[in-house]
Amino acid sequence: MRSKASAAAGFPQAGGLLRTDPVELVNPTGRGGFVLVCEHAGNFIPPELRDLGLGPGLTTSHIAWDPGALPVARELSRILDAPLVAQRVSRLVYDCNRPPESDSAIPEVSEVHAVPGNRGLSPEARQDRVDRVYVPFHQALAAHLDARRAAGEEPVVVTVHSFTPVYKGVRRTLDVGILHDMDARFADAVLQHAGAEPGLAVRRNEPYGPADGVTHTLQRHALPRGLGNVMIEVRNDLIRNGAGQRAMAARLAGWLTAAQADLAGGPASSRQTPRVG
């Protein structure tokens, strides 16, 4: 039987997540050559968690989600005719790009901000969040990838994120990061096309990299299946409005389709024509 403390830290049977699916599937029947993932798409915190004890404004700030990432991923889904698996629940409740054994999966501190509602959780309360947030998200992604492979397809896994221009008081000079884990083939091809575009600072494994533990989704789903993969980080002030989001999605779609064509050994038009506009 749960203690009162662990029950309060978990999700009661009448709780918000049981009325709100933590996973959103966009364009699930898309047949493009990509499967998109947005692990930090939403900032929803179930009401029984009382905003995790955070002060005003923090639940809508970058510590709770990746601002702009979901609209960019949605537009990429449209352009590429690609399925998108998105996580609706705030990463402060559970960060789906971290394994259950990671302390940062349920952070007690995010950047410089304490998260009181994540302190002192019992093992039962932690497992409750794993079961209700992490498990359904990764099951949904795995099921979709397995179905595509069963149909004889080998989609590229692309995870879409955004990052804050200023982190712990330090301004970042990066515009877009192209991240990868052990398999760098697709990221290499993307970087080649991104590097040919003037006026944009694009770098490898920045502002984070594998050593920071940010490639869990790629490790869990793409690498074991031998699928091409890449993680994209966009500075969030570049995608703060619809115009910026659409422009960035069009740019990323161009890089992705060109990289896919390179690795397939043919022109981009022979593989897939992005639906821009």
Side-chain angles (χ1 to χ4, degrees), residues 94-173:
Y94 189 96
D95 187 338
C96 282
N97 198 26
R98 301 292 190 278
E101 63 272 16
S102 171
D103 290 340
S104 60
I106 305 176
E108 294 187 8
V109 177
S110 183
E111 193 177 359
V112 297
H113 303 284
V115 186
N118 288 346
R119 287 180 178 172
L121 295 184
S122 69
E124 294 82 5
R126 291 185 66 91
Q127 188 61 47
D128 188 51
R129 296 197 193 182
V130 171
D131 293 342
R132 296 178 187 264
V133 182
Y134 176 86
V135 170
F137 176 79
H138 284 282
Q139 283 181 340
L141 178 54
H144 192 85
L145 291 174
D146 288 343
R148 294 288 296 269
R149 295 198 73 193
E153 303 171 12
E154 298 287 327
V156 176
V157 177
V158 180
T159 67
V160 182
H161 295 255
S162 73
F163 65 92
T164 181
V166 179
Y167 185 73
K168 294 185 176 180
V170 178
R171 180 161 295 278
R172 290 157 158 169
T173 60

Side-chain angles (χ1 to χ4, degrees), residues 13-277:
Q13 287 301 306
L17 278 185
L18 295 185
R19 296 195 300 266
T20 303
D21 191 336
V23 186
E24 179 180 5
L25 300 179
V26 178
N27 191 18
T29 60
R31 305 315 300 175
F34 301 90
V35 170
L36 305 172
V37 186
C38 194
E39 300 102 317
H40 304 152
N43 65 341
F44 174 73
I45 298 175
E48 59 269 23
L49 297 186
R50 300 176 181 85
D51 285 343
L52 297 171
L54 295 169
L58 289 178
T59 58
T60 57
S61 75
H62 71 272
I63 72 168
W65 63 332
D66 282 357
L70 180 58
V72 170
R74 283 180 174 275
E75 181 66 3
L76 276 172
S77 173
R78 186 192 70 81
I79 294 171
L80 301 172
D81 190 27
L84 165 63
V85 182
Q87 172 57 34
R88 290 172 166 169
V89 179
S90 171
R91 62 180 170 194
L92 296 179
V93 176
Y94 189 96
D95 187 338
C96 282
N97 198 26
R98 301 292 190 278
E101 63 272 16
S102 171
D103 290 340
S104 60
I106 305 176
E108 294 187 8
V109 177
S110 183
E111 193 177 359
V112 297
H113 303 284
V115 186
N118 288 346
R119 287 180 178 172
L121 295 184
S122 69
E124 294 82 5
R126 291 185 66 91
Q127 188 61 47
D128 188 51
R129 296 197 193 182
V130 171
D131 293 342
R132 296 178 187 264
V133 182
Y134 176 86
V135 170
F137 176 79
H138 284 282
Q139 283 181 340
L141 178 54
H144 192 85
L145 291 174
D146 288 343
R148 294 288 296 269
R149 295 198 73 193
E153 303 171 12
E154 298 287 327
V156 176
V157 177
V158 180
T159 67
V160 182
H161 295 255
S162 73
F163 65 92
T164 181
V166 179
Y167 185 73
K168 294 185 176 180
V170 178
R171 180 161 295 278
R172 290 157 158 169
T173 60
L174 179 71
D175 294 321
V176 180
I178 303 299
L179 285 62
H180 61 81
D181 200 88
M182 295 178 62
D183 183 357
R185 291 173 297 169
F186 196 82
D188 287 346
V190 171
L191 282 161
Q192 182 176 0
H193 290 281
E197 189 163 342
L200 203 64
V202 182
R203 293 195 284 272
R204 181 192 304 270
N205 283 338
E206 291 188 34
Y208 314 103
D212 301 303
V214 300
T215 54
H216 172 64
T217 297
L218 302 183
Q219 290 176 348
R220 174 163 179 172
H221 296 283
L223 297 184
R225 293 174 174 83
L227 298 174
N229 62 90
V230 69
M231 177 177 175
I232 297 174
E233 287 271 7
V234 180
R235 204 177 73 226
N236 66 30
D237 60 327
L238 299 176
I239 51 174
R240 65 178 55 176
N241 57 38
Q245 293 155 6
R246 291 188 294 273
M248 182 58 68
R251 179 176 277 160
L252 296 176
W255 299 348
L256 292 169
T257 52
Q260 184 187 55
D262 288 349
L263 295 182
S269 59
S270 71
R271 294 288 295 165
Q272 181 175 332
T273 302
R275 298 184 299 178
V276 179

